[in-house]
Amino acid sequence: MTAINPKQLSLPLLSIGFLLGILVSFAVLSGDANGRVNLLYLMLAFFVLPLLGALISLLSLSSQKGFNAARLMSALPIWSKTQRGYLHKLRQTHLDKQWFFVQSQVAAIGYAIATLLCFGLLLVTTDINFVWRSTLLSAEQLFPLLNAIALPWWFWETAQPSLELLYATQDSRLTQSYSNVETFGQWWSFVFATQVIYALLLRILLLVGGRAWFELRQRRDVEYQLRQRQAGQSHKAPEQHVLSPITHTLPDKLALANWAAFPPEVVAQCRLRPTTTLDCSGHENDDPNYSGAQVVLLKSWEPPMGELQDYLEQGHGVLFPVNIVRGEVTPPAPQHLAEWRRFVHSMPQWQLYLPSEWAEHNEH
């Protein structure tokens, strides 16, 4: 699969979050027929929704696959074939949960940037009259909640809510009399600080932590390590890759481990004649007491993964990578064979086996 930059996948998610932020901002900041904007609607869009989204992202890390906005967006028909291939590769390497967590933060940051831009544009170009209405809540009940929300910016005095401001901006549909119109604009700093802290800064912190976790898990992936090692060596022209030699003989007594899960008709073409067969369909040895030599049957076109390396560390023998063309067993492609020879070189208890009639394919 052709590797692509994960940032190419982040851009669509950032765009979706940005578009959603514009739509939400337009809905809550447009106000009523008299241009009055309900403060409680703003708290729902700029505090409750971002905080709830962050909690869902964090809780998704405890589930097996993770459940967040980015995973839902991955089902949209907006991804190219190459991008879908990258997503499939993430699932194969068990990195999809960490990647989707990171991309959820990217989408949320797009949402936050859009809401801040819309809010700032309206502050500059028009006068916003902030009011609040509630049948069940009183100013005394609402003040402790707003005061708790404002704790992160305790140092910004003008952005702190007050009980007097709540009294002055409480709106009723039965009255249209307002003594001091300027009072209704004083909530802007509180709303702005709420957006910055809970919609933007919180997600930036989660993004930094999520990326560090993703990169740590990625570095542990065996295929990634091999690719990085190969990329580093490609800059050194005189240095050659160290390749494991190929053997054309098999031990007299050996067990067959069909790691590739080939059907019986394909296994028969390999002409291995094992003395016993080990079931490794669950990617582990079904007979942990077996200590003899094994021949591990592999798909040559699939790169060695971490699960295979964990399995091989428990035994010894030969690896037999084969290619399948129209149902027939054929020699591995040269580039695939070279990758398996590099992989086997790091494990002295294993050898790479090919039948002697495939000898002309060995020198690459």
Side-chain angles (χ1 to χ4, degrees):
M1 184 193 71
T2 303
I4 65 172
N5 190 339
K7 293 181 180 179
Q8 297 176 7
L9 292 161
S10 301
L11 183 58
L13 295 172
L14 181 68
S15 302
I16 293 173
F18 188 86
L19 179 60
L20 180 62
I22 291 177
L23 295 176
V24 171
S25 297
F26 178 78
V28 298
L29 291 171
S30 58
D32 58 16
N34 296 316
R36 293 169 297 187
V37 176
N38 193 330
L39 179 66
L40 299 185
Y41 288 166
L42 298 183
M43 290 300 98
L44 181 63
F46 302 149
F47 171 73
V48 176
L49 188 60
L51 189 61
L52 183 61
L55 290 175
I56 292 176
S57 289
L58 290 171
L59 290 175
S60 73
L61 298 179
S62 61
S63 65
Q64 184 175 2
K65 291 186 176 181
F67 179 80
N68 47 46
R71 185 176 288 276
L72 292 176
M73 292 178 188
S74 68
L76 297 176
I78 61 174
W79 308 101
S80 67
K81 183 178 179 180
T82 304
Q83 290 171 331
R84 288 194 176 278
Y86 182 81
L87 293 174
H88 178 68
K89 195 67 175 179
L90 287 169
R91 287 189 288 269
Q92 285 184 324
T93 54
H94 307 291
L95 290 170
D96 54 327
K97 181 168 68 172
Q98 291 78 20
W99 186 86
F100 280 122
F101 175 81
V102 170
Q103 300 311 312
S104 288
Q105 314 318 314
V106 172
I109 289 174
Y111 172 87
I113 292 174
T115 59
L116 282 167
L117 288 176
C118 290
F119 186 63
L121 182 63
L122 288 177
L123 287 177
V124 172
T125 59
T126 186
D127 57 330
I128 304 179
N129 296 317
F130 300 97
V131 299
W132 66 277
R133 308 185 188 99
S134 177
T135 302
L136 300 179
L137 296 176
S138 64
E140 292 80 2
Q141 293 171 322
L142 190 58
F143 175 69
L145 174 60
L146 299 182
N147 203 34
I149 292 174
L151 284 177
W153 58 88
W154 78 95
F155 50 87
W156 191 359
E157 184 177 354
T158 58
Q160 295 296 317
S162 67
L163 194 57
E164 293 77 12
L165 186 58
L166 278 171
Y167 281 131
T169 54
Q170 185 172 10
D171 183 58
S172 173
R173 299 179 188 275
L174 299 179
T175 178
Q176 301 293 331
S177 176
Y178 304 108
S179 57
N180 189 354
V181 177
E182 293 182 359
T183 304
F184 295 90
Q186 293 180 15
W187 282 109
W188 79 265
S189 53
F190 172 80
V191 175
F192 176 77
T194 301
Q195 291 175 277
V196 170
I197 296 297
Y198 295 102
L200 183 62
L201 183 59
L202 175 61
R203 292 309 185 107
I204 290 177
L205 294 176
L206 291 178
L207 175 65
V208 172
R211 280 193 63 88
W213 184 29
F214 175 78
E215 291 171 358
L216 177 63
R217 289 291 303 272
Q218 191 178 44
R219 283 195 296 270
R220 292 177 179 175
D221 181 69
V222 174
E223 182 186 5
Y224 178 80
Q225 293 177 4
L226 288 173
R227 188 166 58 250
Q228 291 296 98
R229 191 181 304 121
Q230 294 166 14
Q233 292 175 349
S234 64
H235 297 291
K236 304 175 182 179
E239 186 177 350
Q240 300 294 325
H241 292 298
V242 181
L243 303 179
S244 170
I246 298 174
T247 182
H248 302 296
T249 60
L250 293 172
D252 294 333
K253 295 181 179 180
L254 76 162
L256 171 62
N258 186 7
W259 182 270
F262 286 133
E265 58 271 17
V266 173
V267 176
Q269 296 182 47
C270 298
R271 296 180 292 179
L272 296 173
R273 298 186 180 88
T275 56
T276 185
T277 301
L278 299 176
D279 181 11
C280 59
S281 58
H283 288 177
E284 59 182 15
N285 192 344
D286 68 333
D287 185 3
N289 296 321
Y290 180 81
S291 59
Q294 301 181 41
V295 54
V296 182
L297 199 55
L298 301 160
K299 297 175 181 177
S300 64
W301 63 90
E302 290 187 352
M305 305 294 288
E307 290 178 332
L308 175 61
Q309 186 178 45
D310 293 340
Y311 177 86
L312 297 178
E313 288 175 352
Q314 309 303 317
H316 68 281
V318 297
L319 304 184
F320 187 9
V322 302
N323 193 18
I324 305 296
V325 178
R326 292 187 291 274
E328 299 293 329
V329 173
T330 61
Q335 67 273 20
H336 297 153
L337 180 60
E339 185 171 358
W340 281 106
R341 292 179 68 182
R342 287 191 292 269
F343 176 71
V344 175
H345 178 76
S346 64
M347 294 180 295
Q349 75 274 27
W350 291 91
Q351 292 180 288
L352 191 70
Y353 166 77
L354 291 180
S356 57
E357 57 267 27
W358 292 357
E360 64 271 15
H361 297 272
N362 298 348
E363 300 301 329
H364 295 282

